[in-house]
Amino acid sequence: MIGLKNIIFASGFMALGGLASVGLEAVAQPGKRGAQGGGHALHRLIQDLDLNSDQQSQLEEMRDTMRTQRQQRRLQQQADHELLFGMLGEENVERDLIHEQIDERMDAMRTQAHAMADDLMDIHASLDADQRAVLVENAGEMRERREQRSSQMRSRAQQRIQHSDDAVE
């Protein structure tokens, strides 16, 4: 029988894995939210930049790399979940093994995030002054949209909490 302690542990592990995945996804595709983003955030950021062929090639290479890394992360996440769920039926959960898996995933994500940041900075360095000005303008618009969405989400969450509190009383 699976004990409450193991269920709580498994939930925490899955939440950590999910947070880590979301964190890297946010770096990989700023503004993307779950399956809704579809890579449009990056497109919005670079729209109207009038990129030359070298810049476009550099960007396509970065997109391909991000896509491959995303697929690899999903496969690794599935393997991690299988390991965890396999352990739930055991008498003693191997904490060290789970900690090792978490550390490996976080190290890989850190390495990927650094490489991606370097790629983005290389693209930034290839932009001329006019392209950088457009990039800054597009980034500001994206930030405003993100802040509006965050504000709306906070407002809805507060309404749900209030509704929940009213139902309890």
Side-chain angles (χ1 to χ4, degrees):
M1 182 169 154
I2 298 175
L4 180 60
K5 196 168 158 182
N6 284 340
I7 292 171
I8 292 171
F9 172 75
S11 298
F13 181 75
M14 291 185 331
L16 177 61
L19 274 175
S21 296
V22 168
L24 185 58
E25 202 67 25
V27 174
Q29 296 182 5
K32 180 175 177 180
R33 291 176 37 204
Q36 302 169 0
H40 298 292
L42 185 57
H43 175 72
R44 272 191 235 118
L45 190 61
I46 64 168
Q47 72 186 6
D48 305 324
L49 289 187
D50 194 28
L51 299 174
N52 64 37
S53 61
D54 288 341
Q55 292 168 326
Q56 289 174 354
S57 295
Q58 196 175 14
L59 186 61
E60 285 300 319
E61 184 178 320
M62 186 180 78
R63 283 182 185 162
D64 291 344
T65 299
M66 287 175 10
R67 186 175 298 116
T68 300
Q69 289 173 347
R70 191 169 43 251
Q71 291 168 346
Q72 290 171 345
R73 280 192 316 276
R74 285 185 184 135
L75 291 174
Q76 183 61 49
Q77 185 175 16
Q78 289 173 352
D80 290 347
H81 287 170
E82 290 299 319
L83 173 69
L84 176 66
F85 291 131
M87 287 184 179
L88 290 179
E90 298 176 9
E91 182 70 26
N92 294 312
V93 176
E94 296 181 46
R95 292 174 190 260
D96 291 341
L97 180 58
I98 292 172
H99 289 179
E100 185 178 312
Q101 293 293 326
I102 292 169
D103 292 344
E104 286 176 12
R105 181 181 284 182
M106 297 304 289
D107 289 344
M109 288 175 50
R110 183 180 304 107
T111 299
Q112 289 175 356
H114 287 182
M116 196 175 320
D118 290 343
D119 289 345
L120 288 170
M121 294 305 105
D122 290 344
I123 290 171
H124 180 269
S126 75
L127 300 176
D128 63 29
D130 291 336
Q131 289 172 318
R132 285 184 184 155
V134 171
L135 180 69
V136 168
E137 182 179 331
N138 291 349
E141 291 171 4
M142 284 179 63
R143 183 180 341 186
E144 288 175 18
R145 284 191 297 271
R146 185 178 61 243
E147 288 171 358
Q148 288 173 350
R149 282 192 312 266
S150 293
S151 177
Q152 290 170 351
M153 288 174 27
R154 278 191 302 274
S155 176
R156 284 191 297 254
Q158 288 172 344
Q159 289 172 355
R160 283 192 302 270
I161 290 169
Q162 183 62 44
H163 178 73
S164 174
D165 288 345
D166 292 344
V168 171
E169 293 175 2

